[in-house]
Amino acid sequence: MKSIWDVLMRLPTNINIKKKIYLLNDPWETILDSSNIYRLLYCLQIVEEFAYDRERERNK
Amino acid sequence: MKLLQKAQVVLCQFYKAEEIYEFTEIAELELAFKFLTCQYLEKRLKGINEIKEISEKIEFHEYYMKTNNLQAVIASQKSTKYLNASRFVKWVLNNKVFELILGDSIHIEIVKRCSDVLKFMAKFDTIPLEIVDLFWSACEGKHEALVRAIYDTIIEISSVLTKEGAERIHSKILAIPHEEINDIHLNLIKGFAINTLPRNYDVADVIKAQESTDDTGDEETEKKPREIKHPREEVNENDFYCVPLLWSLMLDSSNSNPHSAELALTVLSTVLKEGPCQKLKRLYLYECFENLKKNESVSQSINLAHYILTNTYYNTQLVHENSLSTILEELDGKFSIVESIISDMEVYQARVKKTLETQKDYSKSNTALREKLRVGKYPYHINFNNRLVFLEFMITYPYYEMFLTEKQIERIWSLYNENALFDWDQSCLLKWMGRREMNRYSDSMLILRKKEVPFFFNEILSDKSKFSYENMTQDGFSCFETYFKVINQLENKFRIGKSSNFKVIDLDYIGKNQLWEMFLVCKNRDTLDMIVNLILECQVRIDDSLEEKKGVLWEELSSRCMSLLKEGNASKNSKLIDRAVLLLMKFFDKFEGKSEHESDSRSPEHYRYMHMMNVVVVLKPTNASKTIQIGYMQTLGTLRKKIGEAFGLNLNEFKITAKGALIDREEDEMQINEYGFTGPFVIHKVQVSANQGNFHPKNIIASNQEYIDLLFSLLSSDSSGNLSIFLTRIHTKTKFQIP
């Protein structure tokens, strides 16, 4: 399982998922789908990355 | 003594000189003898030394007399006046000097000094057989060191013995029971055999052969028909003392212990190297090959034959009785060498198999038994190795062609691989077959001829009933890899370049399916890594002429990996999933230019005590420079990796130049100290081709929603409660990559 996650982490971020998070057109329950814990973790990492970047911009 | 010599001068003025000479010289001898009988070693040494000195003076006396130089006899201080050789020998015998030396008060230092007197006796008279007997019997019950000293004396005098004397020693040596023969005896046998070689056996032939080789160099000469006589018609081995004994000692039928048998072989090899053994060595080559045919004492016979061939024949194509190619042709004609070796291998393995049936602790993996088991004089593993080494020598010798036929390849494969008695046999065979060496005769040397490579690859390495892919070892795969590259090179599918690296020039290369099959079934993890590596090498080492096909190829591989994952997911086959992930990850690494030596598994501690140095790296054209620390023993690949990290570049995004030339990726395994340059290194950024970017396997997979969903499905399908373990292990801080 870890090796599959490692593969996922080596890949560029999936553009479809990223778009969904950035555009926020869908409800949160759909974007952060808790029925698949790994997908949720993946999405949360995108969110974290997004939030981190914004904060850095604000500091500038 | 000095007093006597001075008295001689004085007395000669008042008395008759002849009487004084006789009186004083006899007195000198008597005094020396008296010393020899003393109980103090110092005096006895003086005694033997005096006798030696007197014998030397007598030699001058004899020389002057022979040349009728009477004046010199009188005038020379170096010469005796009265004593001559016959008087001296008579005195020695009458006074039983040797009986005294070798008697109860025998001493090693006295024995060591008496050979000159014996040589003197042999030169001017003979050494009586009684003295020969006396020396032999003096060894009985004596300490090893003393026996060695006596034997050394016998060796020293053996070249001056009469035929009867030599016969006497020979008969005494022959009387030693084989089981009692030890190192000391064999040293005596060696010295005695060499010193008594018959000098009338064509030493001139050797010189002639040397001259003809020197004169003509490597020039081709026309082959002239040579009359081949059986060696027995030319030489009688019984004319050579102890040589037949040495031969019989090394055979399995002898009672000699294995150590002595091995020594006897070495001694025989040394003796046969001597000039007078020119014809005898050929006789023994015949004997060796006759043994091979009879499957008797084969290990030692082929060892001896190998030694004789490589050390006493000239490595030349010339047709000459001392040319290695000529003798090999002769022997092959008589004994069908390769066939004889392989037949013998079969017979020997059958014998061992029978013996193993009675061994309770036998198992294929019992390496200790392999080294301990004796069928014949030598342990099994030595028998095994000797045969392979000898066969290799025969089939790789360039000036006379011998080779393994397809049938013989099959037989040897069946013997040592399919029906191997020990795992280690398989490993040895695979290493032996798979070795590809540079040698001084040609660029690259294989055990098989090029002609037989397709047969070996297609009929054996590609046949799973003969070569198990499932249980394939690293040695097995290395062997496969060698022939995979060779056959593709022969069929113009690969081009082999520097450091035996290859480029694929035809994508329809041979062995592709076999590689994939191995990948799916091989159980050994280390072998699997090697298989994956070769699959990927074939994907990335694509020749520039196939540039436009690279993209499709990489896409195909990415999609194949994902198909395997899908199949693994559907069938819950974790083995298949693991393999697909391994392939995919290594594919990413390969694509990004990372190779094994860069991801060095050795810890940094490995280099802690090694000398580190700083190298300057300059990025052109901006001239930005950075200093990188690296060890002398580390590789150019590691330097490349460190440069990439320092400048924030991927490995395929820059090129390094040094000493005015590009450092090729193929040189990455070279150590810094071998490369001999400590900087500054210059790097240039290179544009990663659009092709490469578009077809990067990461992009291919990440852009395909179906693949991403599959990965999530794989992750969630593992409902075995490992989630918490997973969460503690994953790198949640992994920075996401922007496509």
Side-chain angles (χ1 to χ4, degrees):
Chain A
M1 185 166 30
K2 168 140 185 336
S3 58
I4 301 283
W5 182 259
D6 288 342
V7 171
L8 208 52
M9 289 299 102
R10 279 190 76 170
L11 300 177
T13 313
N14 180 266
I15 201 75
N16 296 335
I17 301 176
K18 194 174 172 183
K19 256 186 202 166
K20 274 188 187 173
I21 294 170
Y22 274 55
L23 296 175
L24 284 176
N25 288 340
D26 299 326
W28 274 110
E29 294 76 28
T30 318
I31 296 168
L32 300 175
D33 177 14
S34 59
S35 65
N36 186 326
I37 193 82
Y38 302 98
R39 193 182 280 271
L40 175 63
L41 188 61
Y42 186 81
C43 292
L44 286 173
Q45 287 208 45
I46 298 174
V47 171
E48 187 192 27
E49 186 75 10
F50 176 67
Y52 175 74
D53 280 358
R54 284 297 163 96
E55 184 145 347
R56 197 169 51 181
E57 273 181 34
R58 217 176 13 247
N59 287 341
K60 278 180 186 173
Chain B
M1 288 290 171
K2 278 180 190 165
L3 186 69
L4 270 171
Q5 282 158 7
K6 283 186 179 167
Q8 188 186 57
V9 178
V10 176
L11 288 169
C12 279
Q13 292 173 10
F14 304 101
Y15 300 97
K16 273 175 88 177
E18 293 78 23
E19 286 174 9
I20 297 303
Y21 290 145
E22 181 181 348
F23 171 76
T24 50
E25 285 175 5
I26 292 286
E28 269 184 62
L29 273 180
E30 296 293 343
L31 189 58
F33 186 69
K34 196 81 183 160
F35 280 145
L36 205 56
T37 57
C38 279
Q39 66 182 94
Y40 300 108
L41 176 64
E42 198 184 336
K43 294 281 178 211
R44 290 167 66 199
L45 282 172
K46 194 165 173 57
I48 190 73
N49 287 339
E50 288 300 336
I51 293 173
K52 247 172 75 181
E53 276 177 28
I54 293 167
S55 72
E56 282 162 12
K57 283 184 174 180
I58 296 171
E59 278 206 51
F60 277 105
H61 176 96
E62 290 294 332
Y63 173 74
Y64 293 141
M65 295 301 281
K66 201 174 162 189
T67 52
N68 281 327
N69 193 351
L70 289 174
Q71 200 59 40
V73 174
I74 304 297
S76 173
Q77 289 292 312
K78 289 181 186 170
S79 162
T80 52
K81 316 304 188 238
Y82 167 76
L83 283 176
N84 59 16
S86 88
R87 283 174 181 149
F88 177 76
V89 172
K90 205 173 158 191
W91 177 86
V92 169
L93 296 176
N94 287 344
N95 285 281
K96 298 189 186 302
V97 172
F98 287 103
E99 281 82 346
L100 176 68
I101 291 171
L102 301 168
D104 293 341
S105 58
I106 188 167
H107 193 283
I108 186 167
E109 293 303 323
I110 309 289
V111 171
K112 278 182 184 172
R113 286 165 174 77
C114 68
S115 62
D116 287 340
V117 180
L118 284 164
K119 281 187 201 162
F120 177 92
M121 289 172 75
K123 187 174 175 183
F124 295 101
D125 200 318
T126 55
I127 300 174
L129 292 180
E130 293 73 30
I131 292 186
V132 173
D133 291 341
L134 199 63
F135 265 88
W136 195 263
S137 54
C139 299
E140 278 170 27
K142 297 294 187 309
H143 184 265
E144 195 183 299
L146 188 56
V147 174
R148 275 186 198 277
I150 297 172
Y151 282 173
D152 285 346
T153 309
I154 295 175
I155 293 169
E156 276 199 59
I157 62 167
S158 54
S159 59
V160 294
L161 283 174
T162 56
K163 194 170 180 343
E164 290 72 28
E167 294 276 3
R168 182 65 68 96
I169 296 281
H170 189 220
S171 65
K172 295 205 181 278
I173 292 173
L174 292 181
I176 307 170
H178 282 198
E179 61 273 23
E180 285 176 22
I181 286 189
N182 58 26
D183 300 18
I184 306 173
H185 294 124
L186 282 161
N187 191 46
L188 167 71
I189 292 170
K190 178 182 167 186
F192 179 72
I194 291 175
N195 286 344
T196 55
L197 286 173
R199 300 290 154 185
N200 52 343
Y201 271 106
D202 290 340
V203 183
D205 273 6
V206 184
I207 300 158
K208 239 165 59 189
Q210 175 81 63
E211 282 169 356
S212 73
T213 316
D214 292 348
D215 291 347
T216 45
D218 289 326
E219 285 170 31
E220 290 280 340
T221 55
E222 280 181 37
K223 287 194 173 184
K224 292 172 195 165
R226 199 168 64 93
E227 193 199 345
I228 300 171
K229 285 185 188 168
H230 192 281
R232 288 211 184 279
E233 291 174 34
E234 294 184 325
V235 66
N236 179 1
E237 60 190 314
N238 292 323
D239 291 344
F240 296 78
Y241 292 123
C242 292
V243 173
L245 167 68
L246 288 167
W247 169 257
S248 64
L249 277 174
M250 65 170 226
L251 299 180
D252 286 347
S253 52
S254 160
N255 291 332
S256 60
N257 64 57
H259 173 70
S260 298
E262 178 72 24
L263 258 180
L265 192 156
T266 313
V267 171
L268 183 56
S269 311
T270 314
V271 175
L272 291 175
K273 219 176 154 183
E274 295 291 316
C277 297
Q278 184 62 19
K279 295 199 185 300
L280 189 68
K281 70 184 183 192
R282 190 164 148 259
L283 172 66
Y284 275 99
L285 278 177
Y286 270 62
E287 296 269 359
C288 290
F289 282 93
E290 275 159 16
N291 271 356
L292 179 67
K293 278 264 181 203
K294 290 185 283 181
N295 316 111
E296 287 172 8
S297 308
V298 173
S299 193
Q300 48 274 58
S301 297
I302 58 178
N303 259 2
L304 181 65
H306 195 173
Y307 182 89
I308 296 173
L309 290 169
T310 49
N311 290 285
T312 71
Y313 283 90
Y314 298 105
N315 190 9
T316 167
Q317 284 172 286
L318 292 173
V319 179
H320 186 279
E321 68 171 319
N322 286 316
S323 141
L324 186 48
S325 51
T326 309
I327 188 74
L328 284 178
E329 187 181 354
E330 179 188 328
L331 291 167
D332 194 29
K334 285 259 177 214
F335 301 100
S336 310
I337 296 175
V338 175
E339 179 53 34
S340 298
I341 298 172
I342 293 175
S343 302
D344 169 69
M345 284 171 165
E346 289 168 336
V347 171
Y348 183 75
Q349 291 299 103
R351 272 186 208 159
V352 176
K353 196 176 175 182
K354 210 170 171 191
T355 311
L356 286 173
E357 283 167 10
T358 60
Q359 298 282 327
K360 283 178 189 164
D361 56 344
Y362 169 64
S363 76
K364 277 188 163 194
S365 57
N366 190 343
T367 316
L369 178 64
R370 188 178 182 268
E371 287 171 13
K372 181 175 79 176
L373 182 77
R374 276 179 199 273
V375 178
K377 277 259 188 277
Y378 293 81
Y380 171 77
H381 74 288
I382 293 186
N383 268 284
F384 181 91
N385 286 346
N386 282 352
R387 281 168 171 84
L388 276 189
V389 168
F390 193 58
L391 179 60
E392 181 176 345
F393 169 71
M394 292 299 171
I395 58 181
T396 56
Y397 184 68
Y399 298 144
Y400 177 72
E401 193 185 42
M402 278 182 265
F403 57 90
L404 289 172
T405 61
E406 292 179 357
K407 190 75 204 152
Q408 287 165 340
I409 296 168
E410 247 178 345
R411 282 162 66 196
I412 206 166
W413 185 263
S414 152
L415 194 64
Y416 291 148
N417 192 64
E418 292 168 67
N419 302 306
L421 297 175
F422 293 95
D423 293 339
W424 197 248
D425 295 357
Q426 277 179 318
S427 169
C428 288
L429 176 76
L430 292 165
K431 279 183 187 151
W432 186 77
M433 300 276 306
R435 218 166 50 229
R436 194 179 189 191
E437 281 179 356
M438 308 291 277
N439 79 358
R440 60 198 174 107
Y441 306 119
S442 60
D443 329 334
S444 170
M445 202 77 175
L446 271 179
I447 289 295
L448 304 184
R449 284 193 315 178
K450 284 178 184 170
K451 201 178 157 200
E452 279 75 34
V453 168
F455 168 80
F456 181 57
F457 189 83
N458 296 323
E459 304 300 324
I460 293 180
L461 294 179
S462 302
D463 182 345
K464 281 174 282 171
S465 67
K466 292 178 178 160
F467 186 42
S468 165
Y469 289 177
E470 213 171 318
N471 301 313
M472 193 190 288
T473 59
Q474 285 175 284
D475 293 326
F477 186 73
S478 293
C479 179
F480 175 88
E481 188 173 349
T482 301
Y483 288 92
F484 170 79
K485 287 178 182 172
V486 171
I487 195 168
N488 279 302
Q489 188 185 8
L490 290 174
E491 299 291 328
N492 288 324
K493 312 271 184 191
F494 286 0
R495 198 179 56 229
I496 307 291
K498 269 194 270 179
S499 329
S500 75
N501 283 324
F502 67 93
K503 288 270 185 194
V504 177
I505 49 179
D506 183 347
L507 294 174
D508 191 21
Y509 50 86
I510 300 162
K512 194 191 279 185
N513 294 338
Q514 289 89 320
L515 262 178
W516 278 102
E517 211 163 324
M518 286 172 191
F519 168 74
L520 292 173
V521 298
C522 178
K523 287 179 186 165
N524 182 309
R525 176 68 206 202
D526 294 327
T527 312
L528 184 63
D529 281 342
M530 292 170 76
I531 297 168
V532 167
N533 190 53
L534 186 59
I535 289 177
L536 295 173
E537 291 267 296
C538 294
Q539 299 287 324
V540 295
R541 291 190 173 278
I542 306 291
D543 191 69
D544 292 342
S545 60
L546 298 170
E547 183 67 34
E548 74 280 5
K549 293 190 178 164
K550 284 180 181 174
V552 182
L553 198 67
W554 296 331
E555 203 168 354
E556 271 175 13
L557 182 65
S558 306
S559 122
R560 189 161 195 171
C561 290
M562 296 314 289
S563 301
L564 290 172
L565 280 176
K566 196 174 174 181
E567 194 185 324
N569 192 31
S571 59
K572 303 285 172 218
N573 183 345
S574 60
K575 195 180 95 179
L576 188 58
I577 296 171
D578 285 346
R579 275 160 211 249
V581 170
L582 174 76
L583 184 62
L584 202 56
M585 293 293 249
K586 294 247 181 189
F587 187 26
F588 295 165
D589 288 344
K590 272 267 186 263
F591 206 88
E592 288 161 10
K594 291 178 193 164
S595 58
E596 300 297 320
H597 45 90
E598 281 149 9
S599 53
D600 202 330
S601 58
R602 286 178 290 191
S603 65
E605 277 74 16
H606 181 78
Y607 296 110
R608 183 180 290 175
Y609 300 107
M610 289 181 186
H611 187 63
M612 299 297 281
M613 62 173 181
N614 291 324
V615 294
V616 176
V617 183
V618 182
L619 173 66
K620 293 282 182 181
T622 60
N623 282 339
S625 78
K626 288 191 188 288
T627 303
I628 290 166
Q629 201 177 48
I630 190 148
Y632 273 109
M633 306 293 280
Q634 288 182 290
T635 61
L636 287 172
T638 310
L639 177 66
R640 191 184 296 279
K641 188 183 168 193
K642 289 192 171 197
I643 292 174
E645 284 166 3
F647 286 90
L649 295 168
N650 276 330
L651 295 174
N652 54 349
E653 288 175 344
F654 65 94
K655 286 190 172 176
I656 314 175
T657 52
K659 299 191 273 188
L662 187 76
I663 300 180
D664 202 273
R665 292 301 300 261
E666 290 173 7
E667 294 175 86
D668 276 6
E669 280 171 59
M670 193 184 286
Q671 288 183 349
I672 303 283
N673 59 340
E674 285 172 325
Y675 188 67
F677 184 70
T678 53
F681 290 88
V682 175
I683 62 164
H684 292 86
K685 279 190 187 175
V686 289
Q687 199 63 44
V688 177
S689 71
N691 206 7
Q692 217 168 337
N694 294 340
F695 293 103
H696 192 305
K698 282 181 182 176
N699 294 343
I700 295 169
I701 295 165
S703 60
N704 188 323
Q705 192 57 42
E706 194 192 333
Y707 292 159
I708 297 295
D709 291 341
L710 173 64
L711 291 174
F712 283 122
S713 163
L714 277 162
L715 280 166
S716 56
S717 65
D718 186 11
S719 54
S720 53
N722 292 330
L723 182 63
S724 57
I725 300 168
F726 167 75
L727 287 172
T728 58
R729 286 186 185 168
I730 59 163
H731 304 285
T732 50
K733 291 288 179 193
T734 308
K735 195 177 173 185
F736 273 64
Q737 297 182 25
I738 306 303

